[in-house]
């Protein structure tokens, strides 16, 4: 068996982190647009479509983080019975979960996200639209968010508020924005954060 060492742990964490950040970028560039195309088949208003996808991203991270928190408690309780080794119980639990991602019931999280979206008052569209239509995007975001919690420190997204002052360090403006406007009309994609620092910018629409 390969022995554990702090240096090796840092290398594994850095490699895993880089892969997850790249995946976040791919979802933004590819799978988000695929979800937009699906929704545009039912919703003509682009702003509504973009708002739905942003809420899906936020809710996916929320559901995945809650599932991770519950699983980590269970894993730590189990490992604590006979835990030995140089790493802490917390690190051992994170490592165990990272190596056993099949413990995560992602289907349950997808269901929770869709239910939450169906009740979200910020989505200005009749309930005839089935948000399971974009379940592929939701599932990918849930899996990604769950894996990001196994990092030290974890990666997360920043939550935006309509009407907030535009922050160029956190967001790009969409191509149809008013580039003289100082405030965010609505959010298209959240920024990725690590310990309060921006790792990947999000996208917003600014209007006067």
């Amino acid at each position: 068996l390969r022995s554990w060492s702090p240096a090796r742990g840092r290398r594994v964490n850095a490699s895993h982190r880089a892969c997850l950040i790249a995946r976040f970028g791919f979802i933004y560039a590819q799978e988000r647009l695929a979800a937009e195309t699906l929704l545009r088949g039912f919703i003509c208003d682009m702003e509504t479509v973009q708002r739905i996808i942003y809420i899906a991203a936020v809710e996916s991270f929320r559901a995945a983080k809650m599932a991770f928190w519950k699983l980590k408690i269970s894993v730590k309780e189990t490992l604590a019975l006979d835990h030995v080794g140089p790493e802490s119980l917390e690190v051992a639990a994170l490592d165990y979960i990272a190596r056993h991602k099949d413990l995560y019931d992602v289907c349950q999280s997808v269901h929770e996200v869709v239910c939450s979206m169906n009740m979200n008052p910020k989505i200005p569209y009749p309930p005839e639209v089935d948000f399971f239509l974009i379940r592929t995007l939701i599932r990918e975001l849930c899996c990604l968010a769950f894996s990001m919690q196994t990092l030290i420190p974890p990666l997360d997204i920043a939550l935006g508020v309509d009407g907030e002052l535009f922050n160029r360090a956190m967001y790009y403006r969409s191509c149809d924005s008013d580039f003289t406007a100082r405030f965010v009309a609505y959010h298209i994609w959240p920024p990725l954060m690590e310990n309060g620092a921006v790792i990947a910018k999000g996208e917003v629409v600014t209007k006067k």
Side-chain angles (χ1 to χ4, degrees):
L1 295 176
R2 180 180 295 179
S3 61
W4 181 90
S5 71
R8 178 174 177 270
R10 286 192 294 271
R11 288 196 300 271
V12 171
N13 190 73
S15 176
H16 189 205
R17 173 182 178 275
C19 289
L20 294 177
I21 292 173
R23 181 60 184 157
F24 184 79
F26 180 83
I27 292 175
Y28 166 70
Q30 300 291 332
E31 297 179 20
R32 173 183 64 92
L33 298 181
E36 278 188 4
T37 299
L38 288 173
L39 289 172
R40 286 300 297 273
F42 299 87
I43 305 172
C44 295
D45 181 50
M46 189 60 176
E47 177 179 335
T48 299
V49 168
Q50 291 175 329
R51 283 181 179 271
I52 288 172
I53 290 176
Y54 176 78
I55 291 172
V58 170
E59 290 298 327
S60 295
F61 267 77
R62 181 198 59 77
K65 288 190 296 181
M66 180 59 69
F68 180 86
W69 178 74
K70 292 178 179 178
L71 180 59
K72 188 174 74 168
I73 290 176
S74 175
V75 169
K76 287 177 72 173
E77 289 176 349
T78 301
L79 295 180
L81 298 176
D82 56 357
H83 175 67
V84 292
E87 75 274 23
S88 67
L89 180 60
E90 177 77 11
V91 172
L94 293 178
D95 182 59
Y96 184 88
I97 295 172
R99 289 185 288 108
H100 298 84
K101 294 188 180 70
D102 56 313
L103 294 173
Y104 175 37
D105 186 356
V106 64
C107 292
Q108 177 62 31
S109 287
V110 171
H111 177 75
E112 291 174 3
V113 170
V114 171
C115 288
S116 179
M117 292 177 68
N118 283 331
M119 297 184 292
N120 194 312
K122 292 185 178 181
I123 298 179
Y125 206 77
E128 290 82 37
V129 176
D130 187 353
F131 294 124
F132 274 108
L133 182 71
I134 57 172
R135 61 185 175 275
T136 299
L137 174 68
I138 294 171
R139 181 185 179 88
E140 289 299 316
L141 285 168
C142 284
C143 289
L144 178 66
F146 185 87
S147 292
M148 285 179 169
Q149 306 314 301
T150 66
L151 297 174
I152 303 173
L155 295 176
D156 200 357
I157 58 172
L159 303 182
V161 180
D162 289 355
E164 68 179 302
L165 187 65
F166 172 71
N167 183 345
R168 67 177 63 255
M170 292 185 68
Y171 297 106
Y172 296 109
R173 297 179 196 259
S174 67
C175 59
D176 57 343
S177 289
D178 180 340
F179 280 73
T180 64
R182 299 177 57 206
F183 299 97
V184 173
Y186 65 93
H187 298 74
I188 293 177
W189 195 250
L192 187 64
M193 312 291 290
E194 180 184 64
N195 274 347
V198 179
I199 303 300
K201 288 185 180 183
E203 183 178 355
V204 297
V205 174
T206 55
K207 294 179 181 178
K208 290 184 178 179

